[in-house]
Amino acid sequence: MPLPAIIKQLSEAYVNELKKPQFEIITQETFIKGTQRTIGETHIAENVAVLYYIDGNLATRFSHTRVTADNSEAATEALTAFKGACAECKEEVVIRPGDVLLVSNRYALHGRQVVGGEVGGETRWLLRTYGLVAGAARPDQFHSGSNFKLFP
């Protein structure tokens, strides 16, 4: 789901609401144990925007199941519209054994569908990895005592 396609589906008012720091994002389920080990608690980003700029480009921080709006009706409406726009902008990509698929979580959203009947049948093996340009990271953004672990 390319972010530019999603944005085209939204009104200017919704886009402006999504740029306001009025959302909460809870750590993905698969990262809870790791963040608890690293920072001693489940990480929750509070008062954050779903849409923001990176080097002049509109980017996103979003998860279909882990983002909630504050108590304002406008924020809730905008979040609902964003989720609906995501559904309208799905592009199917079939990956096969040996394929590598790179997705920028800031400029595209992704998900998984039911495992097909091809090679692997009912199983799915995924290796998740992350890349980050950390050259601009400030010292206070690193986990205490580490020069490679960034605070979530």
Side-chain angles (χ1 to χ4, degrees):
M1 296 165 267
L3 185 58
I6 296 167
I7 298 301
K8 285 181 184 176
Q9 299 286 322
L10 300 172
S11 70
E12 185 177 346
Y14 286 152
V15 170
N16 289 335
E17 282 300 314
L18 293 165
K19 289 178 183 177
K20 295 178 183 177
Q22 57 187 347
F23 301 92
E24 178 178 276
I25 304 173
I26 301 171
T27 298
Q28 290 289 337
E29 193 73 31
T30 55
F31 295 123
I32 288 177
K33 288 181 182 176
T35 56
Q36 286 174 342
R37 275 193 309 270
T38 303
I39 64 173
E41 61 188 28
T42 299
H43 179 65
I44 300 174
E46 297 173 312
N47 300 316
V48 296
V50 169
L51 299 176
Y52 62 98
Y53 288 95
I54 298 176
D55 297 328
N57 298 305
L58 196 57
T60 189
R61 186 172 184 187
F62 180 74
S63 164
H64 286 80
T65 60
R66 310 302 277 183
V67 177
T68 55
D70 68 8
N71 293 326
S72 80
E73 188 175 322
T76 301
E77 235 180 77
L79 188 58
T80 299
F82 189 82
K83 289 178 181 181
C86 288
E88 295 295 319
C89 297
K90 286 194 293 190
E91 294 181 12
E92 188 170 307
V93 177
V94 177
I95 56 174
R96 305 208 182 283
D99 287 351
V100 174
L101 177 64
L102 300 176
V103 177
S104 170
N105 287 331
R106 298 297 174 235
Y107 303 108
L109 301 172
H110 60 89
R112 297 181 189 99
Q113 293 185 344
V114 176
V115 177
E118 297 86 27
V119 176
E122 295 296 316
T123 64
R124 178 188 329 237
W125 288 74
L126 296 174
L127 175 61
R128 182 187 290 175
T129 187
Y130 288 86
L132 178 68
V133 178
R138 300 181 316 270
D140 66 316
Q141 290 178 298
F142 287 91
H143 181 66
S144 178
S146 174
N147 63 357
F148 65 93
K149 287 184 191 175
L150 290 173
F151 187 78

